[in-house]
Amino acid sequence: MIIGRAVAPLLLTLGAAFALLYLWVRYFAPYSYVEPLGLAAFLGVWAGGYLLFGEHIPRRWRSPERLLRWNAVLAGIGMTHVILWGLLGLAVSPANVRLRALLEGISEVGIAFQSAGHLILTGYLILYSFRWEKLWVLIGFYALSAIILSLRTILPSTASYLTPLVWLGILPLLYFSQWIEKILNQRLGETLLLVGAALVGTFLGWHVLPPMLMVGKTPLYAVLYPLLLAIIFLHGGWLIIPPMLRLVRVSQSEYASFELLTEFLAKQQRTNSAREILQITSQTLGQIPGVGGVFIELRTPFEDSVIVSHFLPPSLQESLRQILHQKSATESYIEVLPSLQRLNPKLPNLAGIFSQKSLSLLQGSALSQTLSLAVVSRIPDGFEEKDINLILTIAEQTVLFLEHLERRAYQEQALTARKEADFLKQTREALLPPAPPSLKKIDFYVLFEQYDRTIGGDYYQIHEYDGGEVVDFWLSDCAGSGIAAAYQMAQARGALNALWMRQLSPDAFILELNDTLKRIFHKNNFLAATLLRFDLKRKEYVIVRAGNPEVFHWNPLTNQTEILRPSGIVLGTTSSQIVGRIIVPERGHLVPGSLFMCFSDGFTEATSPSGEMFGGERLFKLFSTYHTLTAKEIATRIFQEVRTFTEGYSLGDDGTLLVVRYTG
Amino acid sequence: MQIEVLQDGGANELHLALRGELDALTAPKLYEQLTQLVQGKPGISQITLHCRELTYLSSAGAGILLMCMDNFAPKGITLGLTEVQPEVYNILDLLGLTKLMSVTHA
C-alpha cells in the first residue's frame, strides 16, 4: 500500500494529462478514434484515487453486497452521463462539428469507463470468496460473447436471436453472485423482473440506441459500441433494479428482524432454566441470514458450565471457547472481527462477533456468572451492520433473561423461606400447651422463653384427672430444632395426651412413652423430660427425671432447700427394659408449703457476653433466696436475674421454668 | 471439631481423639467418620473416644453418640468415652448416658 500510495499522484497526473489530451484531440480532430485515451484518463484518475483513499473506506463498505451497490451507483452515474452528454450533443448544431464531436466523445469515454468499472467489480465479486465455478462462468460468458460477436460480424442476420443468448449466459453468473443468490432464494417474481429488465436493457442497448445515435463508423467501433451500450443497459436492469428491490427489502428485513426479536422475547418469557434460555438464543441467532454458527457458554460458580452451540464443528467450538476464556470473566467484552484469522491464522476466514458479560448473583454479591457468546458468519466478512446490531441486542437480552431467571429463583427461595417461617409460626401456635386448669390447693406458674420465636424443643403441659385429685406437671425438651424437632415434638405431644387418657402410674407412663417415642423418633433424636406428679388424695409427690435437669425443692418440714436428682435417662433412644432399670422415680410426702421448681437447660446454659454459663448453682441460690415468694414472683425474679446475667441477650436456647407450690 | 485417629489401639480397638465442640454442625462428621472406620476395620470390638479436649457437648452431639452406640451394638462393638471434662460429663450424666456407656472423668 505504501508503494501504491507513492504511485497514486503519478496515476492522477497521467489521468488528468490523458483527459486533457483526449479532449484536445477530440476537439481539433473530430471523430478521430481516441476513446482508448479517454478511457486511460478515467482509469488513471480512479486508480490513483483508490490508492490514495481506498484504505479509508471501511471494510464493511467493501463487502460483496456493498460492492454490488457501488456497481449500481456506477451504472446510475453512467446512464445519466450518456443521456446528458448525448442530449447536449444532439442540441448542438451539426454544423458545429468540433463541439458536437467533443460532447459525444465525452459521453462515449464515460460509457467505456463505466463498462470497465463494471467488469472490474464483477471480476472482484468473482474472485472474492473465490470459487472455481464463478471463474468458469465468467470465462464462459466472455468466450460466448466473443463467439457471438464474431458470428454477428460474419452473419449479421443472426444477431437478433444470438444476442439474447449472450445475456442469458450471464444468469449462472448472477446465481453465483452473493447477493443475487439471496434474491433467487427468496422470490421468483423478483428474479423474473430482474432477468426481464436485463433483457430489455440489452435489446435497447444493442438494437435501438445505436441507430438512433448514428454510431458505427468503423468496423471495430461498430462491434464495440453496441457491446458497451448493451453492458450499460444490462447493468441498468441488473444493478439498478436490485437496489430498488433492496429498498423494499430493507423495510422487509427490518420487519423480519423485528419479528425474529419479538418471537425470541416471547419464547424467552416461557423459559425455566438457563439451558433453555441459551438454546432459544442459539436457535434465534441461527435464523439470522448471515450467521453460520453460534457458540454460547454460561460459566457459573455452583455448577458445571452450560454450553450450547449451533452449526459449529467441535474443533471450532473449542477454539472459540479458548478465545473467550482468555478474556477476563468479570469484565464486559465485545469484539467484531471481519476474519477469525486475525486471532489465529488456522481458523477459517469467517467474520466473528464475540460478546462476554458478567452477571451478578443476588445470592452472593461476590459471586458471578459469565455469559460468553461467539457468532461466526456464513461467508467471509459476512456481517452487515444490522446483523451485528441484532446479534448484540439478542446477546444483551439473553443476559437480562438469565439475570431475571436468577432473580426469580432467589424470590422463590425467599418465598419458600417465608412459607417455612409461616409454617413454623402456625406449628408453634398449634403446639402451645392447652390452657392450664384452675387447680385447687396449688399455686403454680410457668415461664416459657422461646429462643428464636419460631419453634423450640421445650414443651410443658399441666394435666389433671381423677376429679382434680391427681395433677401431672410435664416439662420436656426435644433434641434438635426447626421443623424436624417441631414434628417430633408434635408426635410426642400426641403420645403424651393419649397416655394421660389411660391414667397410668408415673413409671408405666414414662416407659410407655419411651416405647412410643422409640418407634417414631429418628435414631439420633431423643426427648429429655421431667414429670412431677401431685397425688392430693395420698398427699404424695413423685418425680421422674428422664434426662432433664434436677428439680429444686423447698421442704417445709426441714425448712431447707434441696436438690432432687433421681436417676434417669432420656427417652426414645433405648429399650424400655434398659430405661426401666435406669429410671428411679423419687417420691415424698406432700406437705403444705412444699415448693418445687423444674427447669430446662436453657436457663442453666444461659451465657454471659464473656462466655460464662449461668449454671445450676446460681439458679439454686436464687430459688433458695426467693422461696417465700409466690410461684409467679419466684419465676419472674429468677428470669430477671438471668437476663441481667446475659446483659439482655437471649438465652441461646428455649428456657422453661415451672414453679409449683402445694398450699394445702 | 477435630477428629484424630490415635495409633495406640490394639487389633480390635479403635481410639479417636475429639477436640473442640460436638454439636449439631460437627456431630454428623463424627458419625460419618466412625462409620467409615468401622467399615474399613472389620473385627473391631471397642471404640474409645478420648475427650480430654472436647469442650462442649450439645443435645445433637449426645444424640449422635446414642445413634453410634445403637448402630454398633448389633455388630458387637462397644462405644466408650474417656478423659471426659467435668462440663461434658455433667451433660452426659444429666441425660443418663453415663448409665448406657462407659464414661470416665478426665
Side-chain angles (χ1 to χ4, degrees):
Chain A
M1 189 50 75
I2 292 170
I3 294 170
R5 293 190 74 171
V7 172
L10 177 65
L11 289 173
L12 283 170
T13 310
L14 279 175
F18 284 144
L20 288 172
L21 186 62
Y22 168 78
L23 294 172
W24 186 81
V25 171
R26 187 80 183 180
Y27 186 77
F28 290 104
Y31 297 112
S32 58
Y33 185 65
V34 287
E35 273 70 13
L37 202 59
L39 182 61
F42 269 104
L43 288 176
V45 172
W46 271 80
Y50 178 77
L51 289 174
L52 266 184
F53 305 110
E55 67 178 310
H56 300 297
I57 301 171
R59 191 174 173 81
R60 62 176 185 279
W61 288 9
R62 288 179 279 161
S63 68
E65 188 174 333
R66 294 279 178 159
L67 285 174
L68 273 165
R69 283 193 227 171
W70 286 122
N71 212 8
V73 170
L74 190 61
I77 293 170
M79 287 180 72
T80 313
H81 177 87
V82 169
I83 293 166
L84 183 67
W85 293 106
L87 289 175
L88 276 174
L90 288 173
V92 174
S93 163
N96 194 344
V97 177
R98 286 184 177 181
L99 184 58
R100 193 163 175 166
L102 180 64
L103 294 175
E104 285 175 9
I106 292 171
S107 172
E108 287 158 12
V109 170
I111 293 165
F113 169 73
Q114 185 195 338
S115 302
H118 290 320
L119 292 176
I120 289 166
L121 284 171
T122 309
Y124 183 77
L125 286 170
I126 298 282
L127 296 172
Y128 191 94
S129 182
F130 178 77
R131 288 167 71 176
W132 279 104
E133 293 93 328
K134 286 185 180 183
L135 184 63
W136 288 121
V137 166
L138 185 69
I139 292 170
F141 167 67
Y142 288 118
L144 190 62
S145 301
I147 292 166
I148 291 171
L149 288 174
S150 306
L151 282 173
R152 188 184 178 278
T153 311
I154 300 162
L155 303 167
S157 60
T158 60
S160 59
Y161 56 87
L162 280 177
T163 306
L165 287 176
V166 176
W167 304 116
L168 282 174
I170 207 166
L171 286 179
L173 183 64
L174 297 179
Y175 178 79
F176 283 107
S177 173
Q178 317 256 5
W179 189 34
I180 302 303
E181 183 182 43
K182 286 186 190 173
I183 295 174
L184 284 172
N185 285 339
Q186 286 174 10
R187 296 217 177 153
L188 181 64
E190 288 175 4
T191 308
L192 292 175
L193 180 64
L194 189 67
V195 173
L199 292 175
V200 169
T202 304
F203 176 74
L204 289 174
W206 199 268
H207 291 286
V208 180
L209 283 183
M212 278 176 66
L213 295 172
M214 294 174 291
V215 293
K217 295 174 184 66
T218 63
L220 180 63
Y221 201 63
V223 173
L224 285 179
Y225 193 83
L227 175 64
L228 295 179
L229 280 182
I231 289 174
I232 289 172
F233 282 95
L234 168 76
H235 285 80
W238 181 25
L239 299 171
I240 300 290
I241 288 178
M244 287 169 65
L245 294 174
R246 169 77 185 161
L247 289 175
V248 178
R249 197 174 312 292
V250 164
S251 61
Q252 283 178 345
S253 153
E254 278 169 4
Y255 179 70
S257 302
F258 176 74
E259 246 187 342
L260 193 70
L261 199 57
T262 309
E263 196 184 344
F264 165 77
L265 295 173
K267 280 183 184 170
Q268 292 288 28
Q269 299 283 352
R270 298 191 288 271
T271 50
N272 287 312
S273 71
R275 180 169 288 281
E276 263 186 274
I277 290 175
L278 300 192
Q279 278 170 343
I280 288 171
T281 299
S282 174
Q283 286 162 7
T284 308
L285 290 172
Q287 287 175 39
I288 298 171
V291 171
V294 181
F295 171 83
I296 310 176
E297 181 182 20
L298 180 67
R299 281 177 272 167
T300 161
F302 304 122
E303 296 158 7
D304 292 340
S305 292
V306 182
I307 294 178
V308 172
S309 78
H310 203 63
F311 299 141
L312 283 179
S315 58
L316 184 54
Q317 267 185 49
E318 184 52 33
S319 302
L320 295 173
R321 186 168 168 272
Q322 281 175 8
I323 290 166
L324 288 160
H325 276 237
Q326 284 167 5
K327 308 293 173 190
S328 166
T330 54
E331 287 174 20
S332 294
Y333 155 69
I334 292 177
E335 190 167 16
V336 180
L337 288 173
S339 173
L340 296 175
Q341 289 178 346
R342 286 193 184 182
L343 297 172
N344 182 350
K346 290 178 183 170
L347 291 175
N349 183 25
L350 297 170
I353 298 174
F354 295 89
S355 165
Q356 189 157 279
K357 192 165 166 52
S358 160
L359 292 77
S360 57
L361 297 179
L362 290 168
Q363 287 160 339
S365 54
L367 302 169
S368 65
Q369 292 179 314
T370 306
L371 177 72
S372 309
L373 182 142
V375 180
V376 176
S377 68
R378 196 162 57 86
I379 53 171
D381 200 9
F383 287 130
E384 283 201 69
E385 208 168 324
K386 69 173 180 58
D387 291 339
I388 296 169
N389 288 337
L390 184 59
I391 289 165
L392 293 178
T393 303
I394 288 172
E396 280 169 18
Q397 288 297 325
T398 305
V399 169
L400 291 178
F401 276 109
L402 286 168
E403 284 179 342
H404 177 67
L405 180 76
E406 204 269 334
R407 204 173 297 125
R408 210 166 60 191
Y410 181 76
Q411 283 170 348
E412 278 171 10
Q413 217 172 39
L415 187 66
T416 308
R418 202 162 59 232
K419 278 183 182 169
E420 190 173 324
D422 287 347
F423 172 77
L424 287 171
K425 192 179 166 207
Q426 287 165 6
T427 311
R428 179 168 62 90
E429 285 165 5
L431 283 177
L432 283 176
S438 174
L439 302 173
K440 292 177 286 183
K441 303 177 184 175
I442 296 172
D443 171 32
F444 73 95
Y445 188 78
V446 185
L447 194 148
F448 179 42
E449 177 70 6
Q450 275 191 312
Y451 168 52
D452 61 1
R453 303 280 169 201
T454 54
I455 275 196
D458 281 14
Y459 180 74
Y460 70 92
Q461 190 170 340
I462 297 149
H463 183 82
E464 61 167 346
Y465 46 92
D466 207 7
E469 291 298 318
V470 179
V471 183
D472 277 356
F473 296 92
W474 176 264
L475 175 60
S476 61
D477 183 359
C478 191
S481 61
I483 290 177
Y487 182 65
Q488 298 201 334
M489 177 53 80
Q491 289 178 312
R493 183 187 166 175
L496 270 173
N497 283 282
L499 289 171
W500 267 318
M501 301 287 287
R502 292 166 60 186
Q503 302 192 1
L504 299 167
S505 70
D507 314 46
F509 183 91
I510 287 294
L511 294 180
E512 290 270 357
L513 182 63
N514 180 66
D515 275 344
T516 310
L517 297 183
K518 193 166 185 325
R519 279 198 301 276
I520 60 178
F521 271 17
H522 186 260
K523 270 187 178 178
N524 68 343
N525 219 312
F526 57 80
L527 188 80
T530 307
L531 173 66
L532 170 63
R533 175 172 289 184
F534 279 7
D535 189 332
L536 302 181
K537 203 185 289 178
R538 293 182 183 176
K539 303 265 191 284
E540 185 189 65
Y541 71 85
V542 183
I543 296 170
V544 180
R545 192 184 67 85
N548 243 0
E550 52 274 15
V551 175
F552 297 160
H553 177 221
W554 186 77
N555 189 343
L557 295 176
T558 59
N559 206 19
Q560 281 186 337
T561 47
E562 56 190 359
I563 298 171
L564 306 177
R565 192 173 185 176
S567 171
I569 185 171
V570 289
L571 306 176
T573 62
T574 189
S575 72
S576 286
Q577 267 187 326
I578 296 173
V579 172
R581 284 206 297 272
I582 295 171
I583 285 187
V584 179
E586 173 128 3
R587 296 167 194 276
H589 289 295
L590 202 55
V591 294
S594 288
L595 178 72
F596 298 87
M597 186 169 91
C598 311
F599 52 91
S600 65
D601 58 5
F603 279 97
T604 50
E605 291 178 10
T607 309
S608 72
S610 62
E612 192 186 356
M613 279 192 184
F614 194 76
E617 280 183 32
R618 279 197 183 88
L619 204 62
F620 184 65
K621 275 184 188 169
L622 290 172
F623 175 75
S624 304
T625 307
Y626 297 135
H627 75 272
T628 53
L629 302 176
T630 64
K632 183 178 180 179
E633 283 170 337
I634 294 168
T636 48
R637 290 278 179 95
I638 288 175
F639 182 58
Q640 279 170 3
E641 294 280 350
V642 174
R643 289 306 289 263
T644 305
F645 180 80
T646 62
E647 296 183 16
Y649 288 101
S650 69
L651 299 184
D653 192 3
D654 285 355
T656 310
L657 269 181
L658 171 64
V659 184
V660 187
R661 188 194 300 276
Y662 173 63
T663 53
Chain B
M1 188 188 68
Q2 286 184 328
I3 304 167
E4 187 190 345
V5 180
L6 303 173
Q7 301 300 324
D8 57 355
N12 299 327
E13 292 179 10
L14 189 62
H15 289 260
L16 285 94
L18 307 185
R19 297 191 183 93
E21 298 182 348
L22 185 59
D23 55 20
L25 282 176
T26 57
K29 185 180 162 192
L30 173 66
Y31 178 73
E32 195 180 325
Q33 193 153 347
L34 276 179
T35 308
Q36 277 177 3
L37 286 169
V38 167
Q39 283 170 352
K41 196 173 179 180
I44 197 167
S45 61
Q46 171 70 41
I47 298 172
T48 307
L49 303 177
H50 295 255
C51 305
R52 181 177 289 277
E53 292 174 69
L54 182 69
T55 54
Y56 175 72
L57 177 75
S58 76
S59 60
I64 286 292
L65 290 177
L66 281 168
M67 190 162 83
C68 290
M69 195 185 72
D70 203 46
N71 283 355
F72 297 155
K75 298 173 184 167
I77 303 169
T78 314
L79 183 67
L81 277 69
T82 185
E83 302 173 273
V84 177
Q85 293 296 330
E87 295 82 6
V88 176
Y89 186 90
N90 285 342
I91 295 168
L92 290 167
D93 192 35
L94 185 74
L95 298 172
L97 302 193
T98 50
K99 299 176 182 76
L100 285 180
M101 60 179 81
S102 163
V103 181
T104 57
H105 281 286

